[in-house]
Amino acid sequence: MSAFLRRTNRTSPIGIDLGSGNIKMAQFKQIPKGLSLVNFGILPMPENAIREGKIVNSKLIVEALKELLKFHSFVGQRIVASVPGQLVIVKEILIEELPEDELREAIKWEMEKFFPFPIEKTTFDYKILNRVISENESSDKINVVVVAAPLDAVQSIVDVTKEAGLEPIAIEVEPFSKLRLLQFIPDFDFKSEILFVMLNIGHTYTSVSMIDKGMVNFFRTLPIGGKKFTDAIAQSLGKEFKEAQEIKETKLNLNNRKDPGTKAVLPLLDNLLLEVRRSINYYFKKFNDGKSVDTVILVEGGSANLKGINEYIEESTSFPASTDQLLADIAEVSPELFTKEYLLEMAPFFSVATGLALREHRARPAIKAKKAREAQKQQKKPFFKYKKG
Ligand SMILES: Nc1ncnc2c1ncn2[C@@H]1O[C@H](COP(=O)(O)OP(=O)(O)OP(=O)(O)O)[C@@H](O)[C@H]1O
Ligand SMILES: [Mg+2]
């Protein structure tokens, strides 16, 4: 009985994404008709509070977290936060097949060769991908995906959130929050042969997560994001950073190829997309004998709001690209609380926070409710553009 009471009194977790540009928080609750969006909030990350993903001024972050909590009606203190993507390493390793208890030790040894930080200062998890039958050697090998993050980064997130009066129930890595997010898309199941490329273009970095049949098989970050776009505009137009940022966010349209601002941004975007294409090709080679599979690109992060970016990505990669607006799409939203326009504009910022916030929610009832809502309105809005190749 007491366990039952404890369960029902528990509040849903608030997902917290500590980005270098903005702190984002989102919370959902389970309702009889699936999921409801309780609230979401965004606040600029204080300057010099975070550097290369590491917290360098925790006091400023604690204050910002408290401010966000004060302005929005989040419920309870339970939170799930994520380790910034730049600090996360996802690597596939080939290793001898061993019993489970020995496998973890063996992976540790193997990781020492690849990982840039000492293993005893790392937290890691792994998933077995497949078995590779060996003809010459005595035992078979297995492909394992290892996800690792530095322990001190995890600890400093626990410390700042606790200091802000919150109760961290989990600290996750970004690609796992993406994987959870995809589970809330109707008609998508992990048996489908679709490769999801989630491109989170933030302020200082872009993350590329590739998810296929329910596994995060690839994750990498590239040091290009909105800040570099703004720097390039500022330099090209001879403006201060703040003004250049304003121009980028309100006036820039990548379809105006002759515009000097667009001309300043495109070389950076081209570099980024070259790496994205390389990553996708690597993926096809590694996981599908070099053959392409149906691929969907979901564009997220604040820079997904750059006008014309989806078209540009489609042109460059030849895969369909859609903006990730799952914050707005997976739950019931009260029109009295948020206007549809505001919600859709803000949604791309919140893809990581949304995935984190869904940690204790079940996908199936949410999907059922979403389908019922659509049937009532007699319209079906696709979550992403999808074209069979
Ligand atoms: N309308 C817009 N057009 C273009 N860029 C935009 C727009 N709105 C916001 N941005 C850019 O989005 C970026 C912030 O996005 P986001 O909050 O996702 O980054 P972050 O998660 O804090 O950064 P990171 O993940 O790199 O640490 C900023 O560079 C901002 O200028
Ligand atoms: Mg981010």
Side-chain angles (χ1 to χ4, degrees), residues 239-252:
K239 307 270 187 203
E240 293 291 320
F241 186 86
K242 229 175 146 197
E243 202 185 334
Q245 183 110 310
E246 171 102 14
I247 293 171
K248 178 185 78 175
E249 293 179 5
T250 57
K251 299 203 181 85
L252 204 75

Side-chain angles (χ1 to χ4, degrees), residues 119-337:
I119 254 27
E120 63 280 8
K121 293 185 178 165
T122 301
T123 166
F124 77 97
D125 202 358
Y126 66 89
K127 272 207 173 101
I128 298 172
L129 272 182
N130 56 358
R131 175 184 289 152
V132 181
I133 306 208
S134 144
E135 277 164 17
N136 322 328
E137 293 169 46
S138 54
S139 61
D140 290 345
K141 297 213 162 183
I142 48 174
N143 264 319
V144 180
V145 173
V146 185
V147 180
L151 266 175
D152 60 347
V154 174
Q155 190 55 48
S156 59
I157 295 169
V158 169
D159 293 344
V160 287
T161 51
K162 278 191 173 166
E163 187 67 33
L166 297 165
E167 183 198 337
I169 56 164
I171 308 297
E172 286 191 354
V173 292
E174 188 185 317
F176 286 173
S177 78
K178 302 291 176 59
L179 177 63
R180 186 175 305 115
L181 199 53
L182 290 185
Q183 291 168 2
F184 284 74
I185 298 182
D187 302 328
F188 163 67
D189 67 62
F190 285 141
K191 282 183 225 100
S192 54
E193 302 274 331
I194 303 175
L195 170 64
F196 282 90
V197 180
M198 299 171 95
L199 211 59
N200 191 309
I201 315 177
H203 191 53
T204 49
Y205 75 96
T206 293
S207 68
V208 188
S209 313
M210 295 208 227
I211 297 173
D212 178 12
K213 298 191 208 81
M215 296 277 285
V216 181
N217 287 336
F218 181 100
F219 178 78
R220 114 180 239 220
T221 60
L222 302 159
I224 298 176
K227 184 173 182 296
K228 282 205 173 143
F229 299 159
T230 303
D231 282 336
I233 296 169
Q235 204 181 20
S236 152
L237 305 185
K239 307 270 187 203
E240 293 291 320
F241 186 86
K242 229 175 146 197
E243 202 185 334
Q245 183 110 310
E246 171 102 14
I247 293 171
K248 178 185 78 175
E249 293 179 5
T250 57
K251 299 203 181 85
L252 204 75
N253 186 331
L254 297 182
N255 294 316
N256 300 337
R257 300 281 159 94
K258 289 197 179 127
D259 174 71
T262 303
K263 279 189 182 163
V265 168
L266 285 188
L268 290 164
L269 195 57
D270 286 337
N271 275 343
L272 183 69
L273 293 174
L274 173 67
E275 289 305 319
V276 171
R277 287 200 305 274
R278 277 191 184 145
S279 302
I280 297 176
N281 285 337
Y282 165 84
Y283 195 92
F284 290 158
K285 216 152 126 196
K286 188 92 192 168
F287 295 99
N288 205 37
D289 293 330
K291 292 192 288 286
S292 66
V293 293
D294 295 334
T295 300
V296 168
I297 300 182
L298 290 179
V299 191
E300 8 171 278
S303 303
N305 282 330
L306 203 56
K307 281 171 215 74
I309 194 160
N310 287 353
E311 295 93 308
Y312 198 81
I313 292 175
E314 290 190 346
E315 213 176 281
S316 164
T317 63
S318 57
F319 293 115
S322 315
T323 310
D324 175 350
Q325 289 173 323
L326 293 173
L327 173 85
D329 279 343
I330 55 167
E332 187 120 317
V333 180
S334 160
E336 287 109 59
L337 286 179

